[in-house]
Structure formats: C-alpha cells, structure tokens
Amino acid sequence: GYSYIEIGDGDELWETSNYYDIIHVHSDTFFLLSKFFREGRLHFIFGNHDIVKNDDTFVKKNLYEFYDDRDKKNIPLFPNVKVHEGLILQHRTLGYKLFLIHGHQVDFLNGRIWRVGRFLVKHLWRPLETLGVNDPTSAAKNYEKKKAVAKKLIEWVKKEKCILIAGHTHKPMFPEIGELPYFNDGSCVHPNSITAIEISGGDILLVKWKIKTRDDGTLFIGREVLAGPRKLKDYY
C-alpha cells in the first residue's frame, strides 16, 4: 500500500539522450512503475540528470506511452503524468508539512547552468571515468561538493523551518531529534543495494534494500533499517 516518490535523477539522461533505450533495457522496472501509476501511488520529481522532464513536450513524447516491438503498437506507460520540481506532503490530521526536492537547485553548475554540466559529463568526464578519473563537478563523487550542497540545504531548512527530504549528493542523512530536519535518501546506484526514506504511521526511517543470500544459496531482496524510526512530529 505504499506510494513511491522518485526524488529525481531516476533516469540518466546526461550520458544518454535516448529514453526509448532506457525503457527497453529496464522494461520490467518501468512496467512495475506503471502499475504503481495506475493505482495512483507514483509521483515523479526531476533532478539535474533528468531535468529535461520539466518539458511537457518531452514528457508527453517519452513517458505517456511506450512502443512495444513485440506487438508492434504503442502501449500506455504513464499517460498524462506530471513531473514536478518539488512536492509538499502534508499530514492529514496534524497539518505539518514535508518539502521534497532533488537538491540540485543549490548547486550552481548542476542547477542554473545545467546545460554546461551536462556537456561536461557527456563529452569530458564520461570518457575520463573509463580511465578511473572521477568527475570533480559531481556532488555524488566529490566529498567537498557533497558538504557544500548539504550546507546550503541545511541553511534553507533553518531559514524556512520546514522538514526537507532531498537527494542529489548520494549521501544519506538522518538527523537526530533536536537537529535541523534535513533528510537525504542517499543513492540508488550502488552495485547491490539502494537506500531510501520511508514514511509510515507518522514515523520516518532510513532503509536499505539489498541483494542477500539465503542458506540454500538463493538470492532475495532484503530490507535493513539504517536509522529510525523517529516520530515526524518530534522534529517540529
């Protein structure tokens, strides 16, 4: 019964611009997401690496439907979907709010001049990474960049007095009660796991979904709680 909120950079559209290939290769994942969407349990936020989703024409062309090579016809994928820059979640009874955003907005290169960032990633850093050179402009791969982005997001939380859940840095954040309520869901590009923020029953948790092995050698996806649960109301 959970809803799934993709908090940006769900698709790598800087290194590749062909969205059809992404859907084709990961069709099982997209059809599962489509099931969530049909049940009203899916929401998309765009990040810097899929910022082209802020263009309604791109979304209509690439996300509304998918061409099935086997049946030689278009099939619905996310018809009339809206991709947002941010979302506000509001507790039904207590009224407090949570602000969700990818977080690249406080990163000058990956936010305001993202086209420059995309060009560098696609034509400079992508080839160099094959030689083992990390992209120094990436908040995901540069420690100092991570700290700078996190500092700006925390300053925003202090100013606006609002719980914030972001991504972008790939570094999970889960504050203690009494600290400024800046949460980060971490990363979904680890080789065998993803991290995520879960909210349920007024509680918030940081979790990891990971490939594990049973005693008989079979693989399964297991869930680990990394931090929490904490009551959301305790952060107000």
Side-chain angles (χ1 to χ4, degrees):
Y2 277 75
S3 292
Y4 175 69
I5 302 175
E6 191 175 272
I7 206 163
D9 286 1
D11 302 301
E12 175 52 78
L13 296 173
W14 278 13
E15 294 187 11
T16 177
S17 56
N18 193 330
Y19 201 69
Y20 172 84
D21 285 347
I22 294 176
I23 298 176
H24 182 72
V25 171
H26 302 284
S27 58
D28 288 347
T29 299
F30 276 92
F31 291 136
L32 181 60
L33 289 173
S34 182
K35 181 179 179 181
F36 269 72
F37 180 77
R38 291 194 303 272
E39 296 173 355
R41 299 192 288 126
L42 177 70
H43 306 279
F44 288 129
I45 293 172
F46 63 79
N48 52 305
H49 280 254
D50 58 358
I51 200 169
V52 290
K53 293 178 184 175
N54 69 350
D55 182 345
D56 291 339
T57 301
F58 177 90
V59 171
K60 183 176 181 180
K61 178 181 178 181
N62 293 281
L63 274 71
Y64 279 21
E65 58 187 13
F66 173 70
Y67 184 73
D68 190 324
D69 288 318
R70 182 179 57 187
D71 293 335
K72 305 299 181 184
K73 66 178 182 179
N74 289 326
I75 59 175
L77 191 60
F78 310 116
N80 300 311
V81 67
K82 301 295 182 184
V83 183
H84 307 279
E85 183 169 7
L87 289 172
I88 296 174
L89 307 183
Q90 184 171 9
H91 196 283
R92 285 194 181 98
T93 55
L94 300 179
Y96 50 75
K97 298 178 180 179
L98 294 82
F99 183 47
L100 278 58
I101 200 166
H102 181 64
H104 65 282
Q105 291 81 355
V106 301
D107 185 342
F108 181 74
L109 178 61
N110 291 299
R112 294 189 182 182
I113 56 171
W114 63 268
R115 287 180 175 84
V116 176
R118 180 177 64 180
F119 177 85
L120 293 174
V121 166
K122 190 170 186 178
H123 300 288
L124 178 61
W125 295 113
R126 184 185 183 192
L128 287 176
E129 282 180 343
T130 63
L131 302 175
V133 180
N134 281 337
D135 177 1
T137 67
S138 170
K141 300 171 184 175
N142 183 294
Y143 181 73
E144 293 301 320
K145 188 87 169 180
K146 289 178 192 284
K147 289 201 303 182
V149 169
K151 181 180 179 181
K152 291 180 180 179
L153 291 171
I154 291 170
E155 288 173 351
W156 185 92
V157 170
K158 184 177 181 179
K159 177 183 176 183
E160 299 296 330
K161 297 179 175 59
C162 181
I163 292 178
L164 174 67
I165 301 175
H168 188 54
T169 67
H170 291 222
K171 181 181 179 181
M173 295 290 290
F174 196 91
E176 296 294 332
I177 302 299
E179 296 179 340
L180 289 171
Y182 159 57
F183 296 83
N184 194 295
D185 65 347
S187 178
C188 63
V189 295
H190 297 300
N192 65 349
S193 67
I194 67 169
T195 55
I197 294 288
E198 288 185 2
I199 300 172
S200 178
D203 292 335
I204 186 166
L205 309 87
L206 175 67
V207 301
K208 176 189 286 187
W209 293 90
K210 183 179 180 180
I211 299 173
K212 296 185 175 184
T213 307
R214 295 187 176 91
D215 291 339
D216 62 3
T218 57
L219 300 178
F220 70 103
I221 305 298
R223 174 178 171 274
E224 298 177 7
V225 176
L226 301 180
R230 300 278 192 276
K231 293 292 183 185
L232 278 169
K233 65 180 180 180
D234 291 340
Y235 286 100
Y236 281 87

